[in-house]
Structure formats: C-alpha cells, structure tokens
Amino acid sequence: MKLIFWGVRGSIACPGPDTVHYGGNTACVEIRFEDLNRCIIVDAGSGIRLLGHDIVKRNKKGDPFKADIFITHTHWDHIMGFPFFDPIYREGTILNIYGPVTYEEDTLEQVVGDQLRYRYFPVLHSDLAAKIYYHQIGENQLDLGDGIVVKTKFLNHTLSCLGYRFEYNGKVICTAYDTEPFRNLFDGDPNAPNFDADLFEEGERVTQEENQKLVDFYHSSDILIHDAQYTLSEYTSTKRGWGHAYFEYAIDTAREANVGKLFFFHHDPYRTDDELRRFEADLRKSLPVDTSLEIFMAKEGAEISL
C-alpha cells in the first residue's frame, strides 16, 4: 500500500514562488495497491489533475482504468479538479464515487457533476466517456473486495464531512479533513442570564463523547492525515467555528490515538514554504521525548510506502 500526495492545500489553489516546495494544489490523495492493481483517491481538488495525467501516462497499454474516489465533502476546494481528471474522458474508465449524505436537496451526483455544465465548463457530464457511479454514504463500513475495508466517521465541519479509515493487510491510513474539535455550545458562565447548569453539563458530556469517538476512529493507524490549517493563536482568536483544526490539537489527538505517523494537511493558502518548514521544526522539538509519534508537513509529490 502506497500513499501519494497530489494536493495538500486548503480553501483555494495557490501556485507561486512561496509554495513551490510543499505545493499549491488543493486536496487530493492517492492510495495505490500495486499488488492488486487498484487505486483509491481521496478528494478531487485541483491536485487530481496531476494524478489523472500520471494515471494516463503510466497506463501505456491503454487498459481499462477503475478507481474508487472518496469525497470527504463537497466544498469547492475538494471537488474543483474533477472536470480536469483525464480518465473521465477515456473509454473503459469505471469510477465509483462515494461521498457523505448531506440531507440537502441536491444529490452527490448533482453537486459534483454540475461543475460540467456549459455555464461553467465546455463539456457536459452526460458526454463523459467514463462510467461513473455515485454512492451517498453515512457512518458505516464498506468492503471494497481484495481485503480492502473502509470505515467512515462524521467530522466537525460546517458541512457534512466524512473521515475515512482504510484498512488493508494489517495497515491503516486515516484521513481527517476538514475538521475541528467538538466543543460545548452552551454558555458556561454561571452569571449569564440564560445559564442552565443541566444543559451545560449535558453539552460537556456530549462534547467529550464526540471527541473520544474521533480518537477511537484513528486508533493505532499507521498514518493519520489531519487538518492543521491554523496555529493555536489563529484558531482561538478568529477561526474557531470555521471547521478547521490547529497543529497542537492534531498532535494531541494523534498521541492519544497511538498513531504512528501524523501528516499535517490542508495548509492555509497564505502559508509559505518557509513558515511550514519552521512550524514543522518547532513542533518536532516540542514533542515529548518519550513519544513514538512522527510528524510531517504533507508535501505534494511525497510518497510513503506501508
């Protein structure tokens, strides 16, 4: 099982001289099962354009291409690259696209597929050569065959968003983007006019339960790819409630879950290469000496074998 990062940014693609090292494309991760000749893709941000080109290039025989694409949620930075994914224009391509139930009027197929309308794009979804099947899912477990199992968990974002846990041959890769800590929304100030002690205590209980469920979901994963768009000061000052996490929270969660390697993901579009290098070095120094956790900034083009 091999993990390849094709896009690691959040919010919007940000090419330029200050993002060359870590990359400026938005979310797209490939999990390649070379012994099975199978491919799983997580999110279709702008990075999926590069992945599609690579797939066509390495498929020199022109064999039919089949893949499972797991969409974490349908915010634009996570689906914007889909119309530029080369395999959708080729006969023999079969794609199963999974994404969260949103309980909204539009289906997953409509949200992703409507990008391919003349209003936005010169090719219609109905004109694609590939066979594409859409599956709306909630919290469950999927058997993809060949010993590949996928488990799902709703995260804390501003839109229905799924975390994925991919298990194969005793190895585990988890994704957790976009998300932030669950928190008690009831006022805890006893002097507030609307303070209700029972509601506050219930809120505390539910908050702890939900955060623990995430720890359990990530437990003993070899790799955890976790949202870390903000620093702690950025998060607490102006970004709480935006649906994104901070570095220290990702580290604490990964340590509690006994994770092997933690990759910080969904880099802020204004975060420069120099800043990310400095953050990575400082965060490594801050780790307790007795921890076995390894931490990395996700980098476009990086490959990790399990």
Side-chain angles (χ1 to χ4, degrees):
M1 188 160 57
K2 181 181 287 186
L3 172 71
I4 305 102
F5 290 103
W6 293 97
V8 300
R9 293 282 168 172
S11 303
I12 191 170
C14 52
D18 292 329
T19 60
V20 170
H21 181 74
Y22 289 99
N25 281 298
T26 63
C28 181
V29 169
E30 178 189 11
I31 303 174
R32 196 180 301 169
F33 303 82
E34 295 179 319
D35 57 331
L36 303 174
N37 193 30
R38 291 192 60 175
C39 171
I40 285 177
I41 301 166
V42 186
D43 276 345
S46 64
I48 203 172
R49 180 185 66 85
L50 299 172
L51 170 56
H53 181 67
D54 184 74
I55 288 169
V56 171
K57 187 168 60 175
R58 70 185 186 230
N59 186 12
K60 295 180 180 178
K61 296 180 181 179
D63 294 332
F65 173 72
K66 182 179 179 180
D68 299 293
I69 300 179
F70 288 85
I71 303 296
T72 60
H73 63 302
T74 57
H75 279 161
W76 194 47
D77 51 328
H78 295 258
I79 63 171
M80 64 191 299
F82 183 72
F84 301 92
F85 185 48
D86 282 351
I88 64 177
Y89 300 100
R90 297 179 178 264
E91 293 284 350
T93 295
I94 300 175
L95 300 177
N96 281 289
I97 301 180
Y98 301 84
V101 174
T102 63
Y103 304 103
E104 296 176 345
E105 183 176 340
D106 292 338
T107 64
L108 179 68
E109 180 175 0
Q110 289 173 309
V111 176
V112 175
D114 275 3
Q115 296 179 98
L116 290 117
R117 296 173 60 189
Y118 287 144
R119 178 179 297 171
Y120 311 116
F121 201 73
V123 179
L124 295 176
H125 190 276
S126 58
D127 293 335
L128 297 178
K131 293 182 179 179
I132 304 174
Y133 305 95
Y134 292 87
H135 312 271
Q136 295 191 159
I137 56 176
E139 290 188 350
N140 53 18
Q141 177 173 313
L142 304 175
D143 184 347
L144 298 185
D146 296 322
I148 304 171
V149 174
V150 183
K151 298 175 182 177
T152 63
K153 174 75 181 73
F154 279 116
L155 305 176
N156 187 20
H157 194 48
T158 56
L159 178 72
S160 292
C161 181
L162 284 174
Y164 294 109
R165 180 184 175 98
F166 302 96
E167 301 178 353
Y168 173 69
N169 203 22
K171 300 296 183 180
V172 178
I173 296 174
C174 275
T175 66
Y177 46 92
D178 303 19
T179 192
E180 67 178 305
F182 286 95
R183 69 186 192 281
N184 191 347
L185 299 179
F186 294 106
D187 194 341
D189 181 5
N191 298 316
N194 295 324
F195 175 70
D196 186 315
D198 291 336
L199 282 179
F200 179 75
E201 289 180 8
E202 178 65 10
E204 285 292 288
R205 183 188 65 79
V206 172
T207 298
Q208 292 175 13
E209 285 182 358
E210 291 303 313
N211 284 320
Q212 184 59 48
K213 287 178 183 177
L214 292 177
V215 172
D216 295 341
F217 185 68
Y218 311 143
H219 189 264
S220 295
S221 54
D222 297 278
I223 291 175
L224 171 61
I225 308 168
H226 200 292
D227 187 313
Q229 182 160 346
Y230 303 127
T231 64
L232 176 59
S233 61
E234 289 168 344
Y235 178 78
T236 55
S237 60
T238 60
K239 307 299 185 184
R240 184 180 279 115
W242 285 35
H244 297 286
Y246 52 95
F247 296 109
E248 293 83 355
Y249 169 70
I251 290 174
D252 290 344
T253 303
R255 290 189 64 216
E256 188 176 353
N258 193 34
V259 167
K261 291 181 172 64
L262 169 65
F263 286 85
F264 300 116
F265 191 77
H266 208 276
H267 308 315
D268 191 274
Y270 292 104
R271 200 77 74 200
T272 67
D273 288 334
D274 288 341
E275 286 178 309
L276 290 174
R277 287 192 189 97
R278 186 175 71 252
F279 289 160
E280 185 180 60
D282 291 344
L283 290 164
R284 284 177 175 172
K285 290 177 183 176
S286 71
L287 288 174
V289 293
D290 62 342
T291 186
S292 60
L293 176 68
E294 299 178 76
I295 61 174
F296 307 88
M297 291 292 172
K299 178 179 179 295
E300 193 173 304
E303 299 185 9
I304 302 93
S305 295
L306 288 175

